[in-house]
Amino acid sequence: MEASTSSISSLCLLFIFTLIFSNSVAATRFNIPRLSPIRGTILREPEILQETILSDDFETFYYNQTLDHFNYRPDSYSTFQQRYVINSKYWGGGANSSSSPILAYLGAEAPLDGDLSIIGFLPDNAHRYYGKSIPFGSREEALKNTSTLGYFNSAQAIADYAEILLYVKKKYHAEDSPVIVVGGSYGGSLASWFRLKYPHVALGALASSAPILYFDNLTPQDGYYSIVTKDFKEASETCYQTIRDSWSEIDKVASDPDGLAILSKKFRTCNPLKNTSELKDYLDSVYTDAAQYNEPPRYPVTVVCGGIDGGAFGRDILSKIFAGVVAYRGNKSCHVNAPTNESETDVGWRWQTCSEMVLPIGIVNNTMFPPSPFDQNEFNSHCNSLYGVPPRPHWVTTYYGGYNIKLILQRFGSNIIFSNGLRDPYSSGGVLENISDSVVAVHTVNGSHCLDILGAKESSDPDWLVKQRKIEVEIIEGWIAKYYVDLKELKSTAKETYTFRGYN
């Protein structure tokens, strides 16, 4: 992405925030598929991560952040240290003569350091309760109950961003510098919402793979899994059919007295299976992960189907399915139910989806998966049992909007790019049509989740991806150019008024 953003980044300050979430999938649909621009457990090219962390281009800072932006109780004025990272290598200065632009990356479900190695549109900042931006002194204290978790929500997060951005502009004497916020997935939603809520702070937003319409039943609940199914069916009809037939075959084998033991051996499980849900959930995560992050040049869906159709471990259905797992995740000593410790990611994402980020994703008929519809009442009961408070499934559309979005945003919204790849299952909840001249949709037929903001690979990036990035950069350059014209006119008018009143 460096080459395609050079015209912007040669004069800009790169600025970063991030989040961390989990990628578990439950048969009861209590857990929501991962919202992140990068894979959670499969870190691509980890050697790049180490190199990036050590790069002198990045400086880490901590801001004394307000705990609660929306209350005036004495405890609301408590503060915590919020991490942000700045790359000023190409900074052209914030003085009146230059007022160089600032690009702020509002991160999503990955560690800050991980995003630095992957995100290519610009390098990154930190979301409260994740990474090193922990209120209440420790992670254990911050995550221990709903009294402390109550400060953990998107509205507080974007208010954090507004406060830090204004602070950084003042610190760099860049009060007139235009700010462009960029984010992918959940971070993409934050970027679009930030532009709507804080237009005086951000000139524009690039919201990559932001499923802002997957709330409050704006999108059919099976949109996500319908696209996963479509991806696999387009890759290979026989692969799709094998997967579709495999669920009943798993149940059939499991019905035998030694069925679970047979399945455990067949799939090399790390521990003996206690039920078929363990295996089905794992396979679900393989297929959804491959579809969501189906990026070139590897194209994981094709890799999985190549394994399934190749039948390297046998010609029966379950042997083919296992071959697909091995093709994608490697020929490991064990798969499925590996021992894990619950992380801050698990706790954080579970809280957010049980409070405000309620994406009603379910599986109905006509997919390659067994039906598992989303039941709001059941989900409410589950979350209530965990936290003692129910989710607010209507809050996102109440606070940020969503219904009749074209009618509403064309009247007051501006300078937002909603970018999507149509092979991304979350594109089913994305904005895919232009809303106005400056609230635009840029999508590619073959793109996957947040592909446009990942690092450019000149040797393997297809032309359609290069073109998508180029279009986005040209739109942003247009916003910035118009801003400078308006700024010059404003200052000229102010000077003339000052002179006319006799203050010269």
Side-chain angles (χ1 to χ4, degrees):
M1 195 62 195
E2 293 171 359
S4 52
T5 59
S6 60
S7 54
I8 295 177
S9 64
S10 60
L11 290 174
C12 74
L13 185 68
L14 303 181
F15 186 52
I16 306 154
F17 306 87
T18 55
L19 318 163
I20 308 172
F21 293 141
S22 68
N23 189 29
S24 54
V25 179
T28 51
R29 311 257 59 83
F30 289 146
N31 292 328
I32 293 171
R34 180 181 176 85
L35 261 176
S36 171
I38 61 176
R39 292 187 186 88
T41 56
I42 304 174
L43 180 62
R44 308 178 311 159
E45 305 176 56
E47 67 280 359
I48 296 179
L49 172 59
Q50 182 176 6
E51 179 184 347
T52 305
I53 294 173
L54 299 176
S55 172
D56 293 334
D57 293 342
F58 300 97
E59 292 183 87
T60 298
F61 301 91
Y62 288 89
Y63 177 73
N64 208 30
Q65 186 61 264
T66 304
L67 176 63
D68 185 358
H69 299 283
F70 305 105
N71 201 305
Y72 293 89
R73 290 163 47 99
D75 53 334
S76 298
Y77 290 85
S78 300
T79 60
F80 65 96
Q81 293 293 291
Q82 185 161 30
R83 185 188 185 196
Y84 65 96
V85 174
I86 285 182
N87 179 350
S88 57
K89 182 177 181 179
Y90 302 107
W91 176 234
N96 292 338
S97 59
S98 58
S99 299
S100 299
I102 297 173
L103 302 185
Y105 176 73
L106 312 185
E109 312 81 286
L112 172 62
D113 308 298
D115 272 16
L116 289 174
S117 70
I118 302 299
I119 300 300
F121 198 90
L122 68 165
D124 254 39
N125 256 285
H127 188 293
R128 56 172 58 201
Y129 285 79
Y130 286 123
K132 298 180 181 179
S133 298
I134 303 295
F136 301 105
S138 70
R139 181 167 292 109
E140 292 72 24
E141 189 71 17
L143 302 178
K144 74 176 184 179
N145 59 44
T146 48
S147 294
T148 52
L149 282 169
Y151 298 100
F152 180 8
N153 58 67
S154 63
Q156 295 281 7
I158 63 174
D160 288 346
Y161 300 159
E163 193 166 310
I164 295 180
L165 278 165
L166 291 174
Y167 167 78
V168 168
K169 291 183 74 173
K170 185 175 181 180
K171 175 182 176 181
Y172 282 83
H173 307 288
E175 286 85 353
D176 288 336
S177 292
V179 174
I180 305 296
V181 291
V182 179
S185 199
Y186 171 61
S189 297
L190 293 181
S192 66
W193 295 334
F194 188 90
R195 169 59 185 167
L196 295 175
K197 292 293 186 181
Y198 298 94
H200 57 290
V201 179
L203 172 68
L206 169 57
S208 177
S209 298
I212 64 167
L213 301 181
Y214 220 135
F215 295 96
D216 211 2
N217 298 314
L218 289 172
T219 294
Q221 64 168 274
D222 64 343
Y224 185 96
Y225 280 89
S226 293
I227 291 183
V228 175
T229 299
K230 181 174 179 287
D231 291 346
F232 276 84
K233 194 170 185 179
E234 288 180 351
S236 167
E237 182 76 32
T238 55
C239 170
Y240 151 79
Q241 194 61 53
T242 300
I243 293 173
R244 186 169 185 174
D245 294 341
S246 67
W247 311 109
S248 59
E249 188 66 18
I250 290 172
D251 290 336
K252 178 181 176 182
V253 173
S255 66
D256 293 339
D258 297 325
L260 290 177
I262 294 170
L263 290 172
S264 297
K265 183 178 180 180
K266 171 75 73 175
F267 285 90
R268 294 186 200 165
T269 62
C270 301
N271 294 288
L273 291 172
K274 296 178 182 178
N275 51 59
T276 58
S277 293
E278 288 183 280
L279 176 57
K280 289 179 178 179
D281 290 352
Y282 179 81
L283 294 174
D284 183 306
S285 70
V286 168
Y287 305 139
T288 56
D289 187 87
Q292 188 164 318
Y293 303 102
N294 192 36
E295 61 192 65
R298 189 174 181 229
Y299 291 110
V301 170
T302 302
V303 170
V304 174
C305 282
I308 290 175
D309 290 340
F313 294 91
R315 303 307 302 175
D316 62 285
I317 290 176
L318 297 187
S319 292
K320 289 182 178 181
I321 294 297
F322 179 65
V325 170
V326 171
Y328 184 43
R329 294 200 165 161
N331 197 4
K332 301 178 181 179
S333 59
C334 76
H335 300 266
V336 192
N337 62 28
T340 57
N341 294 320
E342 187 171 67
S343 67
E344 64 177 280
T345 349
D346 303 314
V347 177
W349 185 232
R350 184 164 61 238
W351 163 253
Q352 286 213 276
T353 56
C354 266
S355 52
E356 61 168 347
M357 301 300 294
V358 184
L359 294 102
I361 297 175
I363 307 173
V364 292
N365 297 322
N366 302 318
T367 75
M368 67 181 189
F369 299 88
S372 180
F374 181 88
D375 186 306
Q376 187 67 62
N377 291 330
E378 189 176 355
F379 189 77
N380 289 350
S381 297
H382 168 71
C383 292
N384 212 352
S385 68
L386 289 176
Y387 301 107
V389 293
R392 295 181 180 177
H394 310 297
W395 178 243
V396 165
T397 55
T398 299
Y399 190 67
Y400 299 114
Y403 284 97
N404 299 318
I405 189 171
K406 188 166 186 177
L407 177 66
I408 303 302
L409 287 194
Q410 70 179 350
R411 298 174 186 276
F412 79 89
S414 64
N415 292 7
I416 303 174
I417 301 171
F418 290 102
S419 66
N420 282 278
L422 299 187
R423 286 185 176 174
D424 171 20
Y426 269 121
S427 69
S428 57
V431 176
L432 304 179
E433 296 181 358
N434 290 345
I435 292 175
S436 67
D437 291 341
S438 66
V439 180
V440 298
V442 179
H443 61 257
T444 56
V445 174
N446 296 317
S448 57
H449 201 61
C450 300
L451 189 56
D452 57 321
I453 65 170
L454 301 186
K457 299 176 182 177
E458 293 183 8
S459 61
S460 58
D461 281 346
D463 291 342
W464 52 262
L465 176 56
V466 174
K467 182 179 179 181
Q468 180 184 19
R469 290 169 172 156
K470 183 179 179 181
I471 290 172
E472 292 166 4
V473 169
E474 289 175 348
I475 292 172
I476 293 171
E477 287 178 332
W479 296 342
I480 294 173
K482 186 177 186 304
Y483 168 83
Y484 286 141
V485 170
D486 293 344
L487 180 64
K488 183 178 180 180
E489 181 179 343
L490 177 65
K491 289 189 173 185
S492 176
T493 302
K495 184 177 180 180
E496 290 175 3
T497 301
Y498 188 77
T499 303
F500 176 75
R501 289 180 176 177
Y503 297 123
N504 53 335

